[in-house]
């Protein structure tokens, strides 16, 4: 175990104000305000917190397919709110987005010149297979001066801007840029603009797989700021230089008709202002009217500021309003399928009233961190037709959880004479391994007469045209449904906590042998154990689902190595006579198949559990963690103080190694006067 020796000093170790909150020293996400900041940027060791660690997941159909797509442009109260805190915050009612299965592109928008997506958004989007774009915007007279400074000069100047923008995306692991020039341009500047866009696109495609440049419908080919609300000859030269165009919002049906025959019509993202400002079609809870018309002409859609449901409606009803908004659009949105294993989700949205682990509450206060958001299910609401069938609805609830901050609740009813009801949880497009393990954690909350089971649907491999970029497996392809029977005991090593869950949670394991097929979907089936004459109403809470390739023995994550610490800051509160320490922990570990790291300390204060029991400090989603204002005891005059830190890796297969396999480091500290001879 590595031991670091520190002397308590009053001098403050300098931290970059760009990367750390000035009051707490917590790591934060940031933006760049001008070209000077862009050109002066170069990565340092304090930038590492802002690097996304989740590679973009494969999904079906891929974004390259020739079909209408959906973009969400996130514009929330100027940007960089609670989402700027990389290790999370204590926000009680934060804005979150979780309907990832319906969208293809996420744009982080603000009115800063270079909006770099906060790392938590990139991690959450990539986990669900969605690409993330930052925003480059220039506006008003200052924007015009900026554009002239790099577009009206030599080729080397606008190449240098593009190169630096590519370096930012490549280093921080987001996927490209949304370009919004909302100011007039001189003839020279506007003539160079397509060359700048083409070079930026070329470099992004070369350096970032799936890299993308989108253009906003603003200036026209003559340099005038004149929104067209469509793709036409006045803005086509910019479109031809990019991967797509995001049109302005004040379009009417005749604008869509003129774009219908364009050979790149699915690269035209028709803008929809969810706030419904100005002369627009739809918006707010009538946004489906916009989408219906856009889809009628085979065009893609760009939904601007869907945070309307958060900003303008009651925040206490945010989740209900968010679900209502997206459910109204269901008929016009594609559900993307997950394409890789493992799939492990506790349905956490990235926030909660407290944090749970194996059904036990760990923290008493609210928390928010989108990097902790897990793969989300298909949210469904099925109503019986003509009095036939059962009613079923799925939603996320923060009142209880197996892991994280919430769980998936299924509310349903079975009328008399109805055998059961099925709800699809995940759409899949995964080559089936020879041996598959499924694990389910759930609890029934108000019925003992309902049986719970999993159903796995597969398709013959020959019917899945996975090699064609633009192919989408039609719904008419026949699927095989495999009702699953739970095993009598777990087929893999589990801890006592997992083996004997508390608070009513139940666990089931299933092993399935498959060949020459693709996993198509995973559903839950609810059926009555004993038929009743009256309607059976029940609630099922799903804590976690895992779908794992079980062809080879599972491996626990390796032990973290090379533990070190840096940027140690001591603070002594004279009034409370209390010593605090802040520091950054670093370690080495592959991020492949890692869900997160749990960071513990031991030997801290008398108000915490006994020194032999580690205390959870928080979760890390990269190989570093900033400990902020940790209360520590003053060292006794004749001895040193010691704090032990431990890092527990948790795999995305759900495995958690025991303490001997944790990474460990000791901070040994002493007062400055004790070092005197």
């Amino acid at each position: 175990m590595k031991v670091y020796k520190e002397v308590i000093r009053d001098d403050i170790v300098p931290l970059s104000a760009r990367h750390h909150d000035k009051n707490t020293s917590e790591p934060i996400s940031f933006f760049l305000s001008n070209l000077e900041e862009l050109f002066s940027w170069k990565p340092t060791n304090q930038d590492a917190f802002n690097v996304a660690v989740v590679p973009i997941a494969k999904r079906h159909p891929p974004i390259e397919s020739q079909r209408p797509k959906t973009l969400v442009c996130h514009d929330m109260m100027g940007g960089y709110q609670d989402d700027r805190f990389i290790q999370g915050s204590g926000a009680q009612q934060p804005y979150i987005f979780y309907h990832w299965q319906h969208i293809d592109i996420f744009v982080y928008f603000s009115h800063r010149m270079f909006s770099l997506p906060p790392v938590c958004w990139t991690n959450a989007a990539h986990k669900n297979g969605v690409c993330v774009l930052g925003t480059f915007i220039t506006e008003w007279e200052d924007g015009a001066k900026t554009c002239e400074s790099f577009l009206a000069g030599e080729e080397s100047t606008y190449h240098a801007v593009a190169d630096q923008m590519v370096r930012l995306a490549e280093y921080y692991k987001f996927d490209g840029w949304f370009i919004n020039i909302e100011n007039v341009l001189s003839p020279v500047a506007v003539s160079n603009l397509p060359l700048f866009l083409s070079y930026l696109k070329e470099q992004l495609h070369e350096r970032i797989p799936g890299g993308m440049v989108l253009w906003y419908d603003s200036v026209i080919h003559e340099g005038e700021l004149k929104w067209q609300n469509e793709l036409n000859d006045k803005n086509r030269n910019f479109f031809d230089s990019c991967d797509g165009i995001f049109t302005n919002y004040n379009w009417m049906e005749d604008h869509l008709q003129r774009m219908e025959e364009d050979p790149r019509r699915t690269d035209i993202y028709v803008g929809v202002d969810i706030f419904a400002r100005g002369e627009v079609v739809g918006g707010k809870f009538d946004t489906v009217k916009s989408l219906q018309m856009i889809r009628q002409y085979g065009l893609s859609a760009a939904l601007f500021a869907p945070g309307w449901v958060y900003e303008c409606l009651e925040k206490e009803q945010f989740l209900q309003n968010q679900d209502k908004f997206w459910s109204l659009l269901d008929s016009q949105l594609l559900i993307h399928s997950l394409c890789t294993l493992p799939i492990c989700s506790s349905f956490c949205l990235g926030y909660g009233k407290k944090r749970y682990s194996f059904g036990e509450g760990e923290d008493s206060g609210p928390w928010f961190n989108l990097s902790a958001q897990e793969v989300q299910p298909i949210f469904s609401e099925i109503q019986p037709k003509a009095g036939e069938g059962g009613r079923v609805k799925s939603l996320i609830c923060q009142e209880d959880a197996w892991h994280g901050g919430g769980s998936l609740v299924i509310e349903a009813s079975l009328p008399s004479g109805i055998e059961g009801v099925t709800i699809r949880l995940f759409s899949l497009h995964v080559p089936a391994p020879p041996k598959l393990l499924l694990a389910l954690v759930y609890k029934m909350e108000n019925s003992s007469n309902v049986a719970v089971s999993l159903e796995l649907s597969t398709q013959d491999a020959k019917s899945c045209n996975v090699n064609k970029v633009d192919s989408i497996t039609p719904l008419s392809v026949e699927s095989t449904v495999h009702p699953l029977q739970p095993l009598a005991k777990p087929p893999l090593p589990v801890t006592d906590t997992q083996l004997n869950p508390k608070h009513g949670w139940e666990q089931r394991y299933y092993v399935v042998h498959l060949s020459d097929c693709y996993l198509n979907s995973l559903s839950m089936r609810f059926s009555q154990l004993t038929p009743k004459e009256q309607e059976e109403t029940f609630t099922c809470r799903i804590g976690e689902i895992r779908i794992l390739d079980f062809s080879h023995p599972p491996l626990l994550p390796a032990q973290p190595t090379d533990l070190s610490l840096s940027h140690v800051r001591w603070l002594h509160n004279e009034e409370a006579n209390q010593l605090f320490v802040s520091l950054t922990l670093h370690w080495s570990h592959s991020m492949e198949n890692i869900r997160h790291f749990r960071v513990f300390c031991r030997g801290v204060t008398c108000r915490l559990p006994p020194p032999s029991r580690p205390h959870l400090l928080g979760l890390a989603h990269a190989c570093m963690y900033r400990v902020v204002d940790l209360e520590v005891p003053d060292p006794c005059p004749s001895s040193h103080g010691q704090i032990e830190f431990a890092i527990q890796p948790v795999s995305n297969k759900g495995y958690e190694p025991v303490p001997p396999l944790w990474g460990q480091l000791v901070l040994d500290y002493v007062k400055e006067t004790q070092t005197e001879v």
Side-chain angles (χ1 to χ4, degrees), residues 8 50 60 72 157 176 208 212 274 279 302 317 345 356 452 470 498 516 540 547 576 669:
I8 301 173
N50 276 284
H60 183 76
V72 159
T157 306
I208 300 173
M212 179 176 291
I274 308 304
E279 296 293 325
Q317 299 296 313
S345 182
Y356 291 83
V452 177
D470 59 349
Q498 293 171 287
D516 299 323
C540 178
I547 310 173
Y669 59 98

Side-chain angles (χ1 to χ4, degrees), residues 60-61 67-68 101-103 295 330 332-336 472:
H60 183 76
R67 42 86 195 178
Q101 69 270 28
H102 289 310
I103 75 168
R295 298 304 198 218
D330 268 352
Q332 306 301 317
L333 297 173
L334 180 71
I335 293 177
H336 294 81
I472 301 176

